[in-house]
Amino acid sequence: MRHLIIVTVLWAFSFSLIGEYLAGKVDSDFAVLLRVLIAAAVFLPLTVWRGLPARLVAGFWLAGALQFGVTYLCLYRSFSVLTVPEVLLFTVLTPIYVTLLDDALARRFNRWALLAAAVAVGGGVIIRFQPLEGEYLTGFLLLQLANATFAAGQVLCRRLLQQHPVSQPLHRFFGHFFLGALLLALPSYLIFGNPARLPHTAMQWGVLVYMGLFATALGMYWWVKGSTRVSAGTLAIMNELHVPAGLLVNVLIWNRDADLPRLALGGAVILASLWINRLGRSRLPAPAAA
C-alpha cells in the first residue's frame, strides 16, 4: 500500500505542475514523448533481454502502449471538445474499469470490489462535479477509452507479475514497459507534434524532467510494484485518491479556490470505500485446501 500512497502524492503534484507550466504552452505530444524517453533511459541500462517469459515481455510492451500511448493520446485530445471540469468529471470512472477488467480476466464477479469502486467514484463525483455544457459526447467517449486503457494496463501488469514469477526483480525488466510506450509516443509526436511549441524556459524543461524521472519512471514502477501487493478492489480505489490529493496540493501551494467542505466530504467517501473493500474481503470464502 505504501508504494501506491507515495505515487498518489507524486501524481498529485504533477497535476498542478502540468496545469501551471505546461498546459497550453508546451506541445502535449512532445511532453509525453520526453517523459517516456527519460523513463526509458532510467530503466534500459538495467534491463534484462534474455531469459524472461515471452508472455511477460510482450505483456509489458502492450501495457506500456496502452497506458502511455492510447490513454494519453485520447486524454489530450479530449481537451479540444470538453471544458476542464468535464474532463475531470469523466475521468472518475477508472476504478470501475479496473474492477470489471480484473474480474473478467479472473472469470469471476466480486460484488464487494465493484461496490467499493462505485463508492469511490461517488466520492470523486462529489469533489469534481460541474454542470455539463455544450457538445461533450465525443469527449466523453475519448475519455472512457482513456480510462479503460489506463485501467487495462494496470490490471495486465498486475496479473502478468502474479502469473509469471521470475527470479529477476521488477526493475530488471521494467524497461520493456517504456519501450512499449515509445511505440505509440514517438509516432504520435512525429505525426501530430508541433515543433514550434517546444519548451522555451528553464522552468518548463525542469518540470518535464521532474515528470519523466519521478511521475513517470519511479511513479509507474512503484505503482506496478504496489499493485501486486493489494487486492484489485484496493487498486481500483487508489485510482481515485489522486482527486482529493491533487486538489489539496493545488490549494496549499497555488492558493486556488476550492470548495473545502466538498473536498472533505468526497475524500471521506473515498476513504469509506477502502473500508467497504476490506469488509468485503473478510467475507469472501477462503480458498479450498488442495
Side-chain angles (χ1 to χ4, degrees), residues 60-128:
F60 265 72
W61 279 63
L62 176 59
L66 288 172
Q67 288 189 263
F68 274 96
V70 179
T71 296
Y72 280 86
L73 287 173
C74 294
L75 175 64
Y76 283 113
R77 277 147 185 79
S78 70
F79 280 94
S80 65
V81 293
L82 294 176
T83 65
V84 172
E86 288 167 353
V87 171
L88 295 175
L89 173 61
F90 292 155
T91 59
V92 300
L93 296 177
T94 304
I96 297 293
Y97 290 112
V98 171
T99 301
L100 293 177
L101 287 169
D102 187 77
D103 283 348
L105 290 175
R107 297 181 181 178
R108 67 165 186 261
F109 176 71
N110 184 344
R111 65 181 184 276
W112 285 98
L114 182 59
L115 174 61
V119 171
V121 168
V125 171
I126 289 172
I127 295 171
R128 288 179 163 180

Side-chain angles (χ1 to χ4, degrees), residues 84-289:
V84 172
E86 288 167 353
V87 171
L88 295 175
L89 173 61
F90 292 155
T91 59
V92 300
L93 296 177
T94 304
I96 297 293
Y97 290 112
V98 171
T99 301
L100 293 177
L101 287 169
D102 187 77
D103 283 348
L105 290 175
R107 297 181 181 178
R108 67 165 186 261
F109 176 71
N110 184 344
R111 65 181 184 276
W112 285 98
L114 182 59
L115 174 61
V119 171
V121 168
V125 171
I126 289 172
I127 295 171
R128 288 179 163 180
F129 182 75
Q130 297 288 339
L132 300 178
E133 300 176 358
E135 297 294 330
Y136 55 85
L137 178 59
T138 300
F140 175 81
L141 295 176
L142 281 171
L143 281 175
Q144 296 326 297
L145 181 57
N147 292 341
T149 52
F150 191 71
Q154 296 179 63
V155 172
L156 178 58
C157 285
R158 180 174 181 270
R159 295 189 66 82
L160 286 169
L161 292 173
Q162 292 174 339
Q163 294 176 355
H164 301 283
V166 294
S167 59
Q168 297 286 352
L170 178 60
H171 68 269
R172 295 286 285 164
F173 56 90
F174 200 62
H176 293 287
F177 178 92
F178 293 110
L179 288 175
L182 197 60
L183 285 178
L184 289 180
L186 179 58
S188 176
Y189 173 69
L190 294 176
I191 296 171
F192 303 108
N194 183 358
R197 295 181 59 200
L198 296 183
H200 59 275
T201 69
M203 178 60 74
Q204 290 172 344
W205 283 107
V207 169
L208 285 171
V209 170
Y210 165 84
M211 296 288 293
L213 285 175
F214 295 97
T216 305
L218 295 180
M220 288 307 306
Y221 171 74
W222 282 333
W223 191 266
V224 170
K225 189 173 183 177
S227 72
T228 63
R229 302 181 179 184
V230 299
S231 69
T234 299
L235 178 62
I237 293 163
M238 292 303 295
N239 273 271
E240 205 68 36
L241 277 182
H242 71 274
V243 182
L247 287 175
L248 186 60
V249 166
N250 201 253
V251 170
L252 293 177
I253 297 180
W254 281 278
N255 298 313
R256 291 293 177 84
D257 293 333
D259 189 335
L260 294 181
R262 253 173 91 172
L263 177 60
L265 177 60
V269 172
I270 294 172
L271 291 176
S273 69
L274 285 170
W275 175 80
I276 292 172
N277 181 63
R278 185 174 181 179
L279 176 65
R281 290 178 63 192
S282 68
R283 295 191 175 189
L284 290 176

Side-chain angles (χ1 to χ4, degrees), residues 13-90:
F13 280 93
S14 298
F15 289 125
S16 292
L17 290 172
I18 292 172
E20 288 292 322
Y21 300 111
L22 302 180
K25 304 176 182 119
V26 176
D27 180 71
S28 59
D29 289 289
F30 176 80
V32 173
L33 175 61
L34 186 60
R35 288 174 63 177
V36 173
L37 287 173
I38 292 173
V42 170
F43 285 100
L44 285 181
L46 308 173
T47 299
V48 173
W49 300 93
R50 296 181 179 180
L52 295 171
R55 286 190 176 185
L56 179 65
V57 174
F60 265 72
W61 279 63
L62 176 59
L66 288 172
Q67 288 189 263
F68 274 96
V70 179
T71 296
Y72 280 86
L73 287 173
C74 294
L75 175 64
Y76 283 113
R77 277 147 185 79
S78 70
F79 280 94
S80 65
V81 293
L82 294 176
T83 65
V84 172
E86 288 167 353
V87 171
L88 295 175
L89 173 61
F90 292 155

